[in-house]
Amino acid sequence: MSKEQSGVIKAWEATIRKTQAAKRRANSIFGSVTVAHADDENEDDHDHNNGAQEPYHAEKILSNGDYYTGQWYDNFPCGHGKYLWTDGCMYVGEWNKGKTMGRGKFSWPSGASYEGEFRTGFMDGNGIYTGPSGDTYKGQWVMNQKHGHGIKSFANGDVYDGEWRRGFQDGHGKYLWTNGNQYVGNWKNGMICGKGTFVWSNGNRYDGYWEDGVPKGNGTLKWPDGSFYVGNWSKDPSQQNGSYFPSGSPTDQNLGWNPQDVYTIHLSDSKICPSEKVSILPSQKRLAVWNSTKSGGERLRRMSVDGRVSVGEERPYDRMHLWEPDDVDASDRNPTVGKPFEADLLGLHLDEGFPKRLPMKVPKVVKRQGETICKGHKNYELMLNLQLGIRHSVGRPAPVASLDLKASAFDPKEKVWTRFPPEGTKCTPPHQSSEFKWKDYCPLVFRTLRKLFKVDPADYMLSICGNDALRELSSPGKSGSFFYLTNDDRYMIKTVKKAEVKMLIRMLAAYYNHVRAFENTLVTKFFGLHCVKLTGPTQKKVRFIIMGNLFCSEYTIHRRFDLKGSSLGRITDKPESEIESTTILKDLDLNFIFRLQKTWFQEFCRQVDRDCEFLEQERIMDYSLLVGLHFREVSNSGELIPSCRNNSSGENENDHSGPRLSRADMDHLLLDPARWARIKLGINMPARVERTIRRNDYELQLVGEPTGEYYEVIMFFGIIDILQDYDISKKLEHAYKSIHYDPSSISAVDPKQYSRRFRDFIFKIFTEET
């Protein structure tokens, strides 16, 4: 057997061991299943169903009145079939294990329809959507949203042909109005934005830059007679300036022309048609099928932070297609199940079926996180070794490095070993711990990174190697790594595996170029990569990396979220009563939408795109966005005090709720130079969050419904855990879990798919402040 084959087999065995619990749960739930028709037809069909080895044709009236006819296998629609819901929705097409998968047609009672490709319940691939008013879209879809190239024909006759992103025109595209006007150029979030050309039906033509649907920046307006106007364009007349060049013709009639006419007159009849709303999406439709006879009774149901129960349990097919027991009386079911409701492409809008909304409180605040490593602690010597090594590495004389590093600095062989005997050497001081060896990886690169990140060497050394001890966080992370915090909370030290070291060294040049090019990058800041090798019989090696602590702030961090955009197992395993300010909550715990000021939101979107593209190119997956919230208004009893929105007249809508930070105050805060200097993308950012709430009967709804309840916050966020390569073990994990769970709900997916899913999720929970 070759070494490569042996490695694959070992990786497969490791994956099997990790997922044995999930496999046992899957077998217990889907081991044997009973079927009950509404008319109790016969038991032969039931026996045929349980014993079938191949798909067979079935016609079933289901327990809630839904109807299915088509191919059936192992208690699921599988193959080609037709499913009719009691609310009038219908799907005809291909199925795979109870999910719409392949080509099919979904139609709504309103007359709207989608015909094309499906993937795990979502409109995904190439397809045609026809709306009830006559709008049609033909093109590419990703997870229910127009994404890629597509042609939209609006009911009024307008046509857009171009690129789409997350449901909006974004990229290069052409829009043709029914009045004959047309625009060809760049778009952003459904608006004309960037460089493009607008041609009026009368022959007038504008070439230049746009912003928010109107000319903004350099541009030229030309008339058919040869005359033209060139200059800087703005909707604000005080910023408008340019020069008019006549054609020389005696009939030139544009001499008295006003540039503001373009905004007030010429573009007034060329509005972009909004996309019409879509009723309930195919992926949100329930299938009424059956419960296992081997489930072993009721399981304990735990409550999430937003009041729902049994959320995020790792059960097969638990994401959207939840199977209802056939023995439940119709009167006992949630009254909202099976009823149509309005939703746009980014979420649902329904008032029924939600848990009771209780006042929000800040969790118990933990002043000092972690356990101080004192003498007698099992890792006390390791801490001393680490501090001695850092002091040696940072204090070692070195020439002033240019930011333009040579390729040799990133060579994996570029590492320095230093021996630290207890008695000391010419280069190392005497110490009281056992002899150890110290390794610096690519020391010149990390020295330059610290310079790039404006880290003072003396302060850096004092934080890590001062008289104050490090603090060890209470338990290792899911990966088995241990975390240590410096006493001043500025730096976090994490133990890493050999594979992670190799990954960082491999991507180090690309990482350096990325963080150098983008000052506002959200990816983790790395300051050093080292190894301690203990001498003696064990020859133990401890590799660790030094990073910036995102939550080092004068503000108390009340809530922390680790967000990936996946759902399987993405919920905190603590009851609400045990959640503290240091508890890391996950995707299914998230009960806020984050609203950033316009300028910051635009920069945030650009930077997330850049960072994800970088990680995708480096084949990185499983990273997450770490978010911290400090709530500005908290009552004496610990309850969060909602903010007060101002109406158009400037009067408060909720005067009874006490003093708040108004939008005018927030604007003043942003204009304060002293405070502004401390605000960076992801650091000390004033913002507002809107509370959301999820449906009780829609367990794995990633983004809850907005409630209109706002809170003033200071935000901190950054992209962490960027050292997980999509290696053979992750590929096998993906393959194995995809058999038992919805592939779109698991974390281990291809980097390209992971990046797309991550961005789609992040751009749903972050929005622009209005």
Side-chain angles (χ1 to χ4, degrees):
M1 182 182 295
S2 69
K3 186 178 294 185
E4 182 178 355
Q5 289 174 320
S6 175
V8 170
I9 290 173
K10 287 181 180 179
W12 172 255
E13 290 174 347
T15 304
I16 293 296
R17 285 195 297 271
K18 290 178 182 177
T19 53
Q20 279 301 312
K23 185 178 180 181
R24 285 194 295 271
R25 284 194 296 274
N27 289 337
S28 70
I29 293 175
F30 290 96
S32 66
V33 193
T34 60
V35 179
H37 293 252
D39 53 3
D40 293 324
E41 276 189 343
N42 57 56
E43 295 183 2
D44 294 337
D45 186 48
H46 170 103
D47 296 334
H48 183 197
N49 185 19
N50 281 340
Q53 297 301 316
E54 294 181 359
Y56 66 97
H57 188 273
E59 185 171 344
K60 298 177 181 290
I61 300 175
L62 307 178
S63 57
N64 67 342
D66 291 354
Y67 171 80
Y68 175 80
T69 178
Q71 293 297 106
W72 194 264
Y73 176 70
D74 196 22
N75 294 309
F76 297 101
C78 192
H80 192 276
K82 173 181 177 180
Y83 195 107
L84 179 63
W85 285 267
T86 54
D87 63 7
C89 290
M90 183 175 67
Y91 172 80
V92 181
E94 297 174 6
W95 298 79
N96 182 30
K97 296 182 179 179
K99 303 173 189 174
T100 53
M101 180 84 80
R103 292 200 63 84
K105 181 176 181 179
F106 189 95
S107 55
W108 288 263
S110 63
S113 66
Y114 169 84
E115 186 170 3
E117 296 176 320
F118 288 81
R119 179 178 174 83
T120 62
F122 291 90
M123 300 182 285
D124 197 306
N126 289 304
I128 301 174
Y129 172 81
T130 303
S133 64
D135 283 10
T136 62
Y137 170 82
K138 181 179 181 180
Q140 296 174 309
W141 297 75
V142 172
M143 297 184 73
N144 292 334
Q145 297 190 31
K146 306 176 189 73
H147 195 98
H149 183 266
I151 301 173
K152 178 71 180 282
S153 299
F154 296 90
N156 68 348
D158 291 357
V159 177
Y160 172 82
D161 183 351
E163 296 300 311
W164 297 75
R165 185 181 178 87
R166 297 187 298 275
F168 296 98
Q169 297 98 325
D170 200 305
H172 190 271
K174 176 181 178 180
Y175 195 104
L176 179 64
W177 284 266
T178 53
N179 59 15
N181 296 347
Q182 67 174 348
Y183 169 82
V184 180
N186 292 327
W187 296 72
K188 186 72 173 179
N189 293 328
M191 298 287 289
I192 297 175
C193 188
K195 192 173 184 179
T197 299
F198 193 103
V199 180
W200 283 266
S201 57
N202 61 7
N204 294 351
R205 175 189 181 103
Y206 171 82
D207 292 282
Y209 288 88
W210 298 71
E211 186 176 303
D212 294 333
V214 295
K216 179 69 180 293
N218 293 325
T220 302
L221 181 66
K222 298 179 181 178
W223 285 267
D225 63 4
S227 58
F228 62 95
Y229 173 90
V230 60
N232 183 70
W233 292 75
S234 176
K235 203 170 184 180
D236 183 353
S238 64
Q239 298 179 13
Q240 175 82 41
N241 61 79
S243 301
Y244 175 77
F245 295 88
S247 63
S249 169
T251 60
D252 192 335
Q253 300 177 0
N254 301 313
L255 293 173
W257 169 81
N258 183 356
Q260 291 302 304
D261 290 348
V262 170
Y263 300 94
T264 58
I265 300 174
H266 304 310
L267 291 175
S268 61
D269 59 347
S270 297
K271 304 296 184 183
I272 306 298
C273 287
S275 294
E276 61 183 22
K277 289 187 177 181
V278 179
S279 55
I280 184 169
L281 301 171
S283 61
Q284 296 163 351
K285 291 299 296 178
R286 276 181 187 275
L287 307 182
V289 196
W290 305 273
N291 204 23
S292 171
T293 58
K294 294 185 178 181
S295 58
E298 282 291 316
R299 299 177 60 181
L300 289 176
R301 296 165 71 82
R302 67 169 296 273
M303 184 173 290
S304 72
V305 295
D306 58 1
R308 296 169 301 135
V309 292
S310 290
V311 182
E313 296 175 359
E314 297 188 2
R315 297 178 303 205
Y317 310 108
D318 196 26
R319 183 183 58 84
M320 295 295 182
H321 306 280
L322 305 178
W323 306 90
E324 275 190 20
D326 60 339
D327 56 351
V328 176
D329 188 86
S331 62
D332 296 330
R333 290 194 186 93
N334 190 311
T336 64
V337 175
K339 293 184 179 181
F341 52 91
E342 287 300 310
D344 59 27
L345 285 174
L346 297 181
L348 306 173
H349 300 285
L350 188 65
D351 295 329
E352 302 179 51
F354 293 99
K356 183 179 180 181
R357 195 168 55 184
L358 300 174
M360 298 194 69
K361 291 189 174 183
V362 292
K364 178 184 176 182
V365 176
V366 178
K367 293 296 183 183
R368 297 290 285 175
Q369 189 179 7
E371 175 190 1
T372 301
I373 304 177
C374 302
K375 196 165 187 177
H377 190 282
K378 63 178 182 179
N379 288 325
Y380 179 71
E381 277 207 6
L382 179 62
M383 181 191 74
L384 293 181
N385 296 344
L386 187 154
Q387 290 177 324
L388 285 167
I390 293 291
R391 189 179 292 118
H392 171 75
S393 298
V394 178
R396 186 170 52 214
V400 177
S402 166
L403 294 180
D404 296 318
L405 297 178
K406 296 180 179 178
S408 58
F410 301 94
D411 193 318
K413 297 178 181 178
E414 191 67 20
K415 48 195 174 186
V416 179
W417 278 104
T418 305
R419 190 170 66 91
F420 281 78
E423 64 274 14
T425 66
K426 290 182 179 180
C427 301
T428 62
H431 57 88
Q432 297 179 351
S433 61
S434 304
E435 180 175 337
F436 68 94
K437 293 182 73 176
W438 173 263
K439 182 195 285 189
D440 273 328
Y441 296 89
C442 298
L444 180 59
V445 176
F446 286 101
R447 182 184 291 268
T448 311
L449 278 172
R450 294 194 292 270
K451 178 181 177 182
L452 189 65
F453 295 139
K454 298 179 175 58
V455 173
D456 181 76
D459 291 341
Y460 180 74
M461 193 186 305
L462 190 62
S463 291
I464 302 175
C465 312
N467 294 329
D468 296 316
L470 302 178
R471 304 196 313 277
E472 183 179 75
L473 299 193
S474 56
S475 61
K478 189 176 180 181
S479 64
S481 299
F482 282 86
F483 293 85
Y484 304 91
L485 279 171
T486 57
N487 189 64
D488 59 7
D489 288 336
R490 292 178 65 184
Y491 303 102
M492 181 173 284
I493 301 166
K494 175 187 177 183
T495 61
V496 290
K497 300 175 183 178
K498 186 176 182 179
E500 292 175 295
V501 172
K502 288 184 175 180
M503 184 67 227
L504 179 54
I505 295 299
R506 180 182 69 77
M507 63 180 280
L508 191 56
Y511 171 83
Y512 178 83
N513 291 331
H514 182 77
V515 298
R516 185 182 176 189
F518 303 110
E519 183 181 0
N520 283 335
T521 180
L522 298 175
V523 298
T524 307
K525 290 181 170 61
F526 294 128
F527 301 118
L529 180 62
H530 312 281
C531 176
V532 170
K533 181 179 180 181
L534 305 178
T535 57
T538 61
Q539 296 285 304
K540 180 182 177 183
K541 286 184 179 179
V542 181
R543 303 170 182 88
F544 56 90
I545 192 165
I546 302 176
M547 308 174 289
N549 178 18
L550 184 64
F551 295 151
C552 177
S553 171
E554 64 192 50
Y555 297 104
T556 301
I557 307 299
H558 296 126
R559 285 285 189 186
R560 304 169 189 233
F561 295 95
D562 181 274
L563 306 172
K564 293 185 178 183
S566 58
S567 59
L568 186 63
R570 298 293 297 162
I571 190 169
T572 307
D573 56 4
K574 290 184 178 181
E576 176 68 16
S577 59
E578 295 180 14
I579 291 178
E580 300 175 336
S581 61
T582 56
T583 302
I584 304 294
L585 304 173
K586 300 179 183 178
D587 300 66
L588 293 176
D589 300 307
L590 180 64
N591 52 351
F592 295 109
I593 290 176
F594 311 114
R595 300 190 178 278
L596 304 181
Q597 187 263 348
K598 179 178 179 179
T599 304
W600 283 120
F601 176 71
Q602 292 173 344
E603 177 58 28
F604 170 79
C605 292
R606 286 192 293 266
Q607 195 56 55
V608 169
D609 280 335
R610 293 164 182 159
D611 290 340
C612 287
E613 287 167 5
F614 158 68
L615 296 171
E616 183 181 326
Q617 290 170 3
E618 295 303 311
R619 301 287 296 167
I620 304 295
M621 44 78 67
D622 215 24
Y623 46 88
S624 54
L625 187 76
L626 185 64
V627 178
L629 300 178
H630 166 81
F631 293 92
R632 299 181 64 89
E633 297 289 339
V634 181
S635 70
N636 293 334
S637 62
E639 288 188 4
L640 301 182
I641 303 175
S643 66
C644 182
R645 302 200 71 177
N646 293 337
N647 58 27
S648 58
S649 63
E651 298 176 350
N652 288 337
E653 295 174 352
N654 299 305
D655 290 338
H656 62 276
S657 57
R660 303 288 183 272
L661 186 66
S662 69
R663 299 307 306 148
D665 292 335
M666 179 64 79
D667 292 338
H668 179 72
L669 172 68
L670 296 175
L671 293 173
D672 183 346
R675 289 181 178 270
W676 184 262
R678 293 163 44 214
I679 299 172
K680 294 183 178 180
L681 186 65
I683 303 294
N684 292 326
M685 294 191 65
R688 288 204 310 167
V689 296
E690 182 178 4
R691 186 179 181 182
T692 62
I693 192 167
R694 295 177 177 84
R695 294 178 53 80
N696 267 327
D697 58 349
Y698 198 51
E699 293 186 0
L700 300 189
Q701 181 185 3
L702 273 178
V703 183
E705 307 308 315
T707 63
E709 190 175 306
Y710 294 85
Y711 300 90
E712 303 288 348
V713 298
I714 302 295
M715 286 193 71
F716 302 81
F717 50 80
I719 298 175
I720 62 170
D721 294 337
I722 64 170
L723 297 181
Q724 179 58 63
D725 185 20
Y726 192 56
D727 55 15
I728 184 64
S729 65
K730 287 294 180 182
K731 292 177 182 178
L732 291 173
E733 179 184 345
H734 172 78
Y736 184 78
K737 285 189 175 182
S738 294
I739 299 172
H740 299 282
Y741 306 99
D742 183 347
S744 66
S745 71
I746 61 180
S747 293
V749 295
D750 176 87
K752 187 173 183 179
Q753 182 182 347
Y754 191 95
S755 171
R756 183 182 68 189
R757 183 181 67 187
F758 177 80
R759 279 190 269 190
D760 285 344
F761 175 63
I762 295 302
F763 292 142
K764 287 179 183 177
I765 61 174
F766 278 80
T767 64
E768 180 182 323
E769 178 63 284
T770 55

